[in-house]
Amino acid sequence: MNTSNNQAISATSKYIRISPTKVDLIIKQIRGKTYKQALQILKYLPQKSGAIVWQTLYSAVSNATNNFDLEKENLVIAEAFVNQGPILKRMRPRAQGRAFAIQKKMCHITIRVKEV
């Protein structure tokens, strides 16, 4: 069962407890690359978000190979983006009875792969 050329297979990681701006720096590096190139880039990144993006990419490629019988070597990252998730709002006590807001941000990562 093969897909048409314009159809992309995707995977999404939701409610990841990391800021979307931090994840977007990693996503920009792999956008448009082949699967093997993206793995090489993600393998040596020191950031925490690199591992999360790697898991999402691996899941998208697994979906393509298991559900659509595509070869890993022929896959290219067609689309990769990160969206803002819900924000956990916390308060930090400060001097003289004041309180400062802390925003703990979450994100949703989506990666779509397609066959070349």
Side-chain angles (χ1 to χ4, degrees), residues 8-13 35 53-68 70 72 75-77 79 110-114:
I9 297 98
S10 68
T12 304
S13 298
Y35 173 60
V53 171
W54 184 88
Q55 287 176 340
T56 311
L57 175 63
Y58 188 82
S59 178
V61 170
S62 295
N63 289 342
T65 55
N66 291 326
N67 300 342
F68 297 96
L70 302 177
K72 286 182 185 178
L75 294 176
V76 153
I77 299 172
E79 210 177 356
T110 304
I111 296 179
R112 291 195 175 100
V113 294
K114 67 177 181 180

Side-chain angles (χ1 to χ4, degrees), residues 2-112:
N2 283 334
T3 62
S4 62
N5 287 340
N6 60 2
Q7 186 178 3
I9 297 98
S10 68
T12 304
S13 298
K14 294 184 133 191
Y15 304 103
I16 305 298
R17 251 304 278 121
I18 192 164
S19 172
T21 52
K22 293 178 182 178
V23 178
D24 196 43
L25 294 172
I26 307 301
I27 293 280
K28 284 179 184 174
Q29 293 182 19
I30 65 164
R31 195 175 285 135
K33 302 276 195 295
T34 65
Y35 173 60
K36 285 194 172 189
Q37 288 173 335
L39 283 185
Q40 288 298 319
I41 292 169
L42 293 172
K43 186 176 181 180
Y44 298 107
L45 288 177
Q47 290 92 340
K48 171 186 168 184
S49 56
I52 297 166
V53 171
W54 184 88
Q55 287 176 340
T56 311
L57 175 63
Y58 188 82
S59 178
V61 170
S62 295
N63 289 342
T65 55
N66 291 326
N67 300 342
F68 297 96
D69 297 326
L70 302 177
E71 296 294 325
K72 286 182 185 178
E73 292 77 29
N74 301 335
L75 294 176
V76 153
I77 299 172
E79 210 177 356
F81 58 90
V82 59
N83 292 327
Q84 175 86 45
I87 297 174
L88 297 175
K89 294 179 179 171
R90 302 291 181 260
M91 297 307 284
R92 179 84 180 162
R94 300 305 297 234
Q96 299 179 357
R98 293 185 181 94
F100 285 180
I102 296 175
Q103 293 185 342
K104 299 188 173 199
K105 297 181 177 177
M106 289 187 224
C107 66
H108 307 310
I109 304 167
T110 304
I111 296 179
R112 291 195 175 100

